Amino acid sequence: MPKLPFDPEQLPIDSIAGEAPVAAALLTAAALRQRFATPPPWLPEQLDESVGRRAVMTPAAVLVPLVERAHGLTMLLTRRTAHLQHHAGQISFPGGRAEAWDDGAAATALREAHEEIGLDARHVDILGTLPDYLTGTGYHVVPVVGLVTPPFALAAESNEVADIFEVPLAFLMDGAHHRRLSYVLPAGDRRRFYAMPYQQYFIWGATAGMIRNLFHFLRA
C-alpha cells in the first residue's frame, strides 16, 4: 500500500481561507435545486492536485450526498478502510471508477454509493455536477450532487468503508473552517491543498477540494 510522505494532520496551517459563510437561505433543498437549475457565472478554484493530467486517467464519479435533515442539510461522508491501495483511511465521498455499463457519471455515483454504503438510489434526487476533479492518483472524477431524503438505511461495505458520518452543510460552507496546507514533494515542488477538520474527522485533499468548489458555486 503506498504511504503518504507526510501526515496531513501534523502539517502547519499556511493560512485560513476565511471567506464569509454561504447565506443560510442558500443552504436549503429548494435553493439548491434552483441554483443547479439556473447556475450563475462562476469559476472553480484551480487546486494543485487537479491541474495536472497523467497520460492515462481513470474515469470515476463520486456522489456528493446532501441529506435533508429537520435541522438543516448535512453532507454525508465516509472514512475509507486503512488497507486500501489509494486514499487509505481518508475521508471521501462514496464513489469509484466508472464501468463500461454505467449510463453516465450519475449512474456510476449511484451504483458506487449503493455498493459502498447501501444507499438506495430511490432516496437520491440528482441536482447536477460540479467541475471535474483530477486527483494525483490518476482519477478523473465527476462529482455528482444529490439531495438525499430520509428515512433511508445504510450499510458500510466492510472492505472499503470504515465509517459513515454526516457534517452540517453550514459548517462546510464557511471559509473560516477551510485551512490551507502544503508540503514539499521530493522533487522540490510544493503541493497545496485544503483541510476542513470536523470533530474527529480530518477532511482534506480531493474531498476538500470538491467541497471548496461547491462552496464557490453556492456563493457565486
Side-chain angles (χ1 to χ4, degrees), residues 57-65 78 80 84 86-87 91-117 132-133 135 137-144 157 160-161 206-207 210:
M57 300 291 289
T58 301
V62 297
L63 182 65
V64 181
T78 73
R80 293 165 64 83
L84 293 175
H86 294 302
H87 308 290
I91 304 304
S92 68
F93 295 112
R97 70 176 63 218
E99 301 292 354
W101 56 83
D102 290 335
D103 185 17
T108 299
L110 290 171
R111 174 182 55 76
E112 286 283 340
H114 185 260
E115 292 174 2
E116 290 185 3
I117 62 173
D132 294 1
Y133 194 97
T135 73
T137 49
Y139 287 90
H140 185 141
V141 182
V142 180
V144 179
E157 201 289 306
E160 296 187 52
V161 177
T207 302
M210 288 181 254

Side-chain angles (χ1 to χ4, degrees), residues 37-136:
T38 56
W42 73 289
L43 292 174
E45 188 164 4
Q46 293 300 309
L47 299 166
D48 285 2
E49 185 179 35
S50 67
V51 297
R53 177 185 289 272
R54 296 187 180 188
V56 177
M57 300 291 289
T58 301
V62 297
L63 182 65
V64 181
L66 303 178
V67 184
E68 298 184 66
R69 298 296 184 189
H71 55 275
L73 293 172
T74 66
M75 183 177 286
L76 190 151
L77 293 160
T78 73
R79 187 173 69 237
R80 293 165 64 83
T81 52
H83 66 272
L84 293 175
Q85 182 177 6
H86 294 302
H87 308 290
Q90 295 181 21
I91 304 304
S92 68
F93 295 112
R97 70 176 63 218
E99 301 292 354
W101 56 83
D102 290 335
D103 185 17
T108 299
L110 290 171
R111 174 182 55 76
E112 286 283 340
H114 185 260
E115 292 174 2
E116 290 185 3
I117 62 173
L119 179 62
D120 195 298
R122 73 177 186 274
H123 298 291
V124 185
D125 176 15
I126 299 297
L127 299 181
T129 61
L130 295 172
D132 294 1
Y133 194 97
L134 309 182
T135 73

Side-chain angles (χ1 to χ4, degrees), residues 4-28:
L4 291 171
F6 63 95
D7 180 350
E9 298 189 45
Q10 300 303 316
L11 291 173
I13 300 171
D14 293 340
S15 63
I16 302 294
E19 300 97 341
V22 174
L26 298 176
L27 301 181
T28 67

